[in-house]
Structures are given as structure tokens and as C-alpha cells.
Amino acid sequence: MEVYRSPKAKKQVEQPKAIYYSRTRLIIGAVIWSLAVAFFGALAWRSRTETGALAFAGVITLGAAWMFFSCVRPLGSLDTPVLLIGRDGIRFPDGVLIAWADMEENVYFHQSYMGIPIMKLVQVKTTLKKPRLKKLRVSALAMNSDEYLALCDSYSQGESPSSAR
């Protein structure tokens, strides 16, 4: 059974959809992680006489600093799409294109602990030899899981947009 699509919807499906980072989410992440760096850095400084506590606080400080730079780095390339979803498949930031026919599984993971978001991840399992599995952290994308999956469904349908009646 064929699903009706308006001419506007048909035209949108013919063009690939670019997904970008959210400036607001990146800035909020950078602020949170900079506060974490300051807090755990101060904790490491205060515990500099105790080797075990210094090592523990230092490792957490380095992890928070890594997350801070992971939020700041994409701020310089907000005009570059992170994902490009089109009729041919999904194109990742490293240029890898995975066609719809080559996908075994396309999942959007949203993991949280007691209401606190821990990780958001897009994972695509393929039938290709390389890559068998493609993952991308999508915590700062300007899109949620429902929008991502609906967009993938609309582009992955086998019929050509011009053949719908």
C-alpha cells in the first residue's frame, strides 16, 4: 500500500537533509565542564599532600578537561553538517557513506541515569566488510531521537519520491 505524500514532502525527500550541532547545547556543555574542571582542579590542589586523592582528583580533572574541549571544538565548525541524511544513505563527518541497503540496524541510543542524560549515540550496523559498525556521539545535535528516526524512515523507503501518486 502506498502512502500519500504532499508535493512539498516529496520535494523535501529529494534533497538530502543536513543535521548540525546545536550552539546552545555546546555552550551549556562547555560551561558545565569548565565548572567541573575548576571544581575537581581545586579538589586536586587541596589534596596535593595525599597521593591517592591527588591521583583520583587529577584523573577526573583531566576527563572533565577532555569533555570541555570536546564541547568547544565543534563551536568553530557550526556551519558544517555533522550528518547528511539523503536518498542514498547516511553520510558521517569523516566522509563515510552508508547506503540504506547496506544497513542491518540503525539505532539511536539515549542513555540516562535517574533522569540525568549520560550518552546519546547513533549506531549503524552494516553488511559491509568495512565499516561493520559505525558510531557517532550525538549529544549536542539539534535533533532528538524521534526526529532522527522519522527522518531516516522518510529517506529509506524504497520508492522514488516521484513515483508516489
Side-chain angles (χ1 to χ4, degrees), residues 93-139:
D94 58 359
V96 173
L97 174 70
I98 299 177
W100 298 114
D102 296 330
M103 291 184 199
E104 285 181 353
E105 186 178 57
N106 183 11
V107 182
Y108 188 106
F109 288 109
H110 177 89
Q111 189 175 18
S112 63
Y113 177 73
M114 297 178 67
I116 300 170
I118 304 297
M119 179 179 62
K120 292 182 183 179
L121 178 81
V122 168
Q123 176 177 303
V124 178
K125 290 183 182 177
T126 70
T127 58
L128 304 170
K129 289 186 179 184
K130 195 169 185 180
R132 289 284 300 150
L133 182 67
K134 187 71 175 165
K135 295 180 181 181
L136 179 67
R137 282 186 50 216
V138 293
S139 299

Side-chain angles (χ1 to χ4, degrees), residues 42-55 57:
L43 192 62
W45 180 257
R46 293 176 109 199
S47 64
R48 65 186 179 272
T49 58
E50 300 174 31
T51 308
L54 174 64

